[in-house]
Amino acid sequence: MLDNISLAADAATLSPVALFLQADIIVKAVMIGLLLASIYVWAIIFTQGRGVGKLMRASENFERDFWRADNIDKFYDKNSGEDLPSAKVLAAGISEWRRSTKGKIIDRDGTRERLGIAMNSAIAGEVDRLADKIGTLATIGSVAPFVGLFGTVWGIMRSFTAIAASNNSSLAVVAPGIAEALFATAIGLFAAIPAVIAYNSFSQRLNRLESRLGRFADGLHATFSRELEVDA
């Protein structure tokens, strides 16, 4: 009976809250940092996940309406204020078209080249802007396990120190330090695993968006090229 009571008490001291409270200040700092990183990861997942999905749907609708429009200039003047990747690509193309064709003499080959450069630059800028916070996920996903491992090493060092100080290698002496170490590793993985999964998911979405923008830019380039041939 007394042994059962002792085991229950030991189990209580190995609960997550107890492990944090009895941990060394270094291990506590590691745990707190990893918990904050985990919270930040989930905040990015919820905000970026919803935002990127909404942005892709809005861009798809924008492109569909554009190809249905009868007049490109009127459509652009009406929708130039849209804060969408497709709208930015269209704006880059229209701006370059208007600058390149405002003179009496038009360099058709040069205009085609400048149109491609302008729209490709717009695509790269939009992808970079959307990937800004996503890069943080990759950083957390790669660094968090090593930070947790640092807490693990520190906790094991404390266990060996406790053994040397008490001259006792029983499980009751080493268990708290080892448990703290493993708990720090678990928190590191808790932060890293969702970050890696979310990063891969967002990267695939951005790749699809970049491909869609590339196809849209190719269609615009073909349209402008036909206009140059008509003017010729």
Side-chain angles (χ1 to χ4, degrees):
M1 182 70 178
L2 292 176
D3 291 341
N4 292 336
I5 294 175
S6 177
L7 289 173
D10 290 340
T13 61
L14 297 180
S15 67
V17 176
L19 288 174
F20 174 78
L21 294 176
Q22 69 190 12
D24 181 80
I25 184 64
I26 301 297
V27 180
K28 281 183 179 178
V30 169
M31 291 180 181
I32 291 173
L34 291 173
L35 285 173
L36 292 176
S38 178
I39 293 172
Y40 185 68
V41 165
W42 284 105
I44 293 177
I45 289 173
F46 285 119
T47 57
Q48 291 292 102
R50 183 171 54 186
V52 171
K54 183 178 179 180
L55 198 63
M56 292 182 69
R57 290 190 297 270
S59 293
E60 183 178 357
N61 293 333
F62 179 89
E63 294 172 25
R64 182 192 61 208
D65 294 339
F66 171 79
W67 293 120
R68 291 177 178 176
D70 296 328
N71 188 293
I72 293 178
D73 289 322
K74 289 182 179 179
F75 180 87
Y76 171 72
D77 293 336
K78 181 180 178 181
N79 299 278
S80 59
E82 294 284 345
D83 188 19
L84 296 173
S86 298
K88 300 295 180 60
V89 174
L90 176 62
I94 292 291
S95 298
E96 183 57 43
W97 169 263
R98 290 177 176 177
R99 285 195 299 267
S100 298
T101 58
K102 66 180 179 180
K104 294 182 179 179
I105 300 176
I106 300 175
D107 181 4
R108 291 173 174 78
D109 292 335
T111 298
R112 291 187 179 95
E113 183 177 354
R114 288 190 295 271
L115 284 169
I117 293 173
M119 290 187 289
N120 287 334
S121 297
I123 293 172
E126 288 302 301
V127 173
D128 288 342
R129 181 176 65 86
L130 293 174
D132 186 26
K133 290 185 178 180
I134 296 177
T136 307
L137 294 177
T139 301
I140 294 175
S142 60
V143 172
F146 293 101
V147 176
L149 182 61
F150 172 75
T152 299
V153 173
W154 191 269
I156 293 175
M157 288 173 57
R158 286 193 65 222
S159 298
F160 283 114
T161 303
I163 292 174
S166 62
N167 197 23
N168 186 354
S169 60
S170 67
L171 185 61
V173 175
V174 300
I178 294 176
E180 294 168 17
L182 296 177
F183 189 47
T185 301
I187 297 177
L189 294 175
F190 182 74
I193 292 174
V196 173
I197 294 174
Y199 175 77
N200 291 333
S201 176
F202 288 143
S203 295
Q204 291 177 358
R205 287 188 178 186
L206 286 181
N207 289 336
R208 290 198 300 269
L209 179 61
E210 186 175 9
S211 298
R212 171 180 289 278
L213 293 176
R215 292 191 297 270
F216 181 58
D218 289 341
L220 286 174
H221 195 277
T223 301
F224 291 134
S225 294
R226 285 193 294 270
E227 289 294 326
L228 290 172
E229 292 173 1
V230 170
D231 293 340

